Amino acid sequence: MRILVITKALDRPEAHILVGLKNRGATVQVLLQEENAHTQILRDANIPVSRFPLSSRLDIKGMLALRRIVKSEQIDLVYALSNAALSCANFGLLGLDLSIVTYRGTVGHLSWFDPSSWLTFLNPRVRKILCVSKAVESYLQDLGVSQDKLVTVYKGHDVAWYTAAPTATRSELGVPTDAFVVGCTAVMRAVKGVDILIQACATLLTELPKLHLLLIGPVKDQQVEQLLESFPDKNRLSLTGFRSDATRLATLCDVVVMASKSREGFPKSVIEAMAQGVPAIVTAVGGMPELVDNGAAGLMVEPSNANELAAAIRYLANDSNELKRLGAAGRARIVEVFNIESTVSRMFEIFEELIQKNCSHTPLKSLVPHQ
């Protein structure tokens, strides 16, 4: 099994997945637009990594280079993890007998009337779409994508990744050590529902005198900016902006919240918090109900409902036993259901089946690049 991975950059689970595939006997080669801290995980496993910049989704030079690599390395399967990579693979590899696989991590933003969607996920050249959650799979099925192209593969984690000492303390962020900290890590766009979280916390300030709101990430929502400016007690509000150590900052929270209003796939920041034993409150949006198992491993509320969210925060702030139970249950759920070993096993099985079937689509001869 010879796999070529093309992407902009890899996150930690993706890097470990590729190492796991190699350990199971696959030959893995990676083409990256950008390197990051996780690239070293590949190099430590002796996985070849090359810089492969793509200027656009229709980078002709990139398509021809990709075609040469696929032919010279006798690649069996291309795993494309960015829009540019997927589009260039779909068109640059026309006429070659191999499978193209991709990964979909969000709900929405695709349409049969959108040419860019035809270049990527809705292109007939794509053999399989690995979906980050059942919600994403259902969205694509409702959109009209053939069911035989879709499969849910959770992006697994390993709780051992999060055992290092915290890189920050509450005092460094201006958070009282005895506070009940409600945290949220996100790029704060309107869809993330941070405005609802701010409103919920604002109503609880008098009732819960130790409540402190910690927001981690850049603010890209004007309504959130306005609510932060008018927050009733700014001494009980901390805003960090972008933090490279955001994963570890979750351990400074008593509870994390993801109040997304729509289009949420499977939020990494919530998984990372749960893996560290921090209980989560999420909205019933996208794949988040799958993550907390309808409340068994975290609390779930309806989206855009500040009163219901406030009630969930109040409940955990007033019940230390339930807070502890949900923290342990969330961590156990990552270990038992969303673990990296299960992800690697399932992906290897899918890739092996695709290669054995030797599936390919009839090439559009007029679009095959000159060799």
Side-chain angles (χ1 to χ4, degrees):
M1 182 190 301
R2 302 182 67 86
I3 302 169
L4 180 64
V5 182
I6 320 166
T7 187
K8 182 176 181 180
L10 291 170
D11 62 22
R12 177 156 48 182
E14 289 166 346
H16 282 282
I17 287 167
L18 299 183
V19 173
L21 293 173
K22 178 180 182 292
N23 291 341
R24 284 176 172 260
T27 298
V28 180
Q29 181 176 346
V30 181
L31 303 179
L32 287 172
Q33 286 188 251
E34 301 174 4
E35 295 198 17
N36 58 25
H38 307 305
T39 308
Q40 191 59 41
I41 296 171
L42 304 180
R43 293 203 168 97
D44 290 343
N46 295 317
I47 293 177
V49 180
S50 303
R51 287 292 305 278
F52 193 75
L54 292 171
S55 61
S56 70
R57 298 187 187 188
L58 293 174
D59 184 334
I60 301 300
K61 183 178 179 180
M63 291 182 196
L64 294 174
L66 177 59
R67 191 176 182 85
R68 287 192 295 269
I69 293 170
V70 165
K71 294 179 71 174
S72 65
E73 299 293 332
Q74 298 182 314
I75 298 299
D76 298 309
L77 182 145
V78 169
Y79 186 36
L81 291 172
S82 71
N83 286 328
L86 182 55
S87 177
C88 287
N90 284 335
F91 289 92
L93 302 179
L94 282 167
L96 299 186
D97 192 20
L98 81 169
S99 294
I100 296 174
V101 180
T102 190
Y103 199 87
R104 183 69 181 174
T106 187
V107 174
H109 300 299
L110 294 176
S111 171
W112 294 102
F113 301 103
D114 179 5
S116 66
S117 297
W118 280 88
L119 296 178
T120 54
F121 293 90
L122 302 185
N123 191 289
R125 186 72 175 85
V126 176
R127 181 71 185 105
K128 188 74 75 173
I129 302 174
L130 310 185
C131 304
V132 74
S133 65
K134 292 178 182 178
V136 172
E137 181 177 347
S138 295
Y139 161 73
L140 291 171
Q141 188 175 7
D142 291 343
L143 195 63
V145 178
S146 176
Q147 181 60 49
D148 65 0
K149 285 190 175 186
L150 305 174
V151 60
T152 294
V153 180
Y154 296 120
K155 188 182 288 187
H157 287 240
D158 185 341
V159 296
W161 297 342
Y162 311 105
T163 57
T167 57
T169 64
R170 286 186 171 187
S171 59
E172 290 174 35
L173 299 179
V175 178
T177 56
D178 63 344
F180 181 83
V181 180
V182 178
C184 175
T185 301
V187 177
M188 292 175 233
R189 298 185 175 92
V191 71
K192 289 295 184 179
V194 179
D195 56 324
I196 304 299
L197 172 59
I198 296 171
Q199 292 171 37
C201 288
T203 65
L204 292 170
L205 292 178
T206 301
E207 182 180 353
L208 302 175
K210 291 189 176 183
L211 184 144
H212 193 99
L213 177 59
L214 174 60
L215 300 179
I216 304 164
V219 177
K220 298 190 176 182
D221 180 4
Q222 187 175 8
Q223 186 172 4
V224 167
E225 292 177 349
Q226 293 171 350
L227 287 168
L228 291 174
E229 183 63 30
S230 61
F231 196 72
D233 187 348
K234 292 186 175 60
N235 290 324
R236 297 166 68 181
L237 169 68
S238 296
L239 182 65
T240 72
F242 171 79
R243 291 282 298 233
S244 60
D245 59 346
T247 297
R248 291 303 304 162
L249 294 185
T251 60
L252 306 182
C253 303
D254 291 285
V255 61
V256 296
V257 175
M258 186 60 69
S260 301
K261 298 176 182 178
S262 64
R263 300 204 308 269
E264 190 66 68
F266 218 60
K268 182 176 71 170
S269 65
V270 177
I271 296 173
E272 291 172 342
M274 292 172 64
Q276 297 174 88
V278 182
I281 301 173
V282 302
T283 48
V285 169
M288 292 195 292
E290 300 165 52
L291 184 56
V292 301
D293 189 23
N294 290 324
L299 298 186
M300 188 169 64
V301 299
E302 289 303 310
S304 301
N305 190 326
N307 290 334
E308 190 172 343
L309 179 55
I313 295 171
R314 179 190 300 111
Y315 172 63
L316 292 183
N318 289 328
D319 193 333
S320 59
N321 290 331
E322 182 68 354
L323 189 73
K324 183 177 180 180
R325 184 192 72 80
L326 286 176
R331 187 179 187 277
R333 187 153 173 79
I334 302 302
V335 171
E336 296 165 6
V337 181
F338 305 111
N339 62 78
I340 191 72
E341 292 83 6
S342 296
T343 302
V344 170
S345 177
R346 185 69 179 114
M347 286 181 61
F348 190 90
E349 178 184 88
I350 292 166
F351 289 175
E352 189 173 46
E353 181 179 354
L354 286 171
I355 292 169
Q356 288 176 351
K357 287 183 177 179
N358 197 26
C359 293
S360 63
H361 294 273
T362 303
L364 304 176
K365 298 295 185 182
S366 61
L367 296 180
V368 177
H370 295 296
Q371 302 180 39

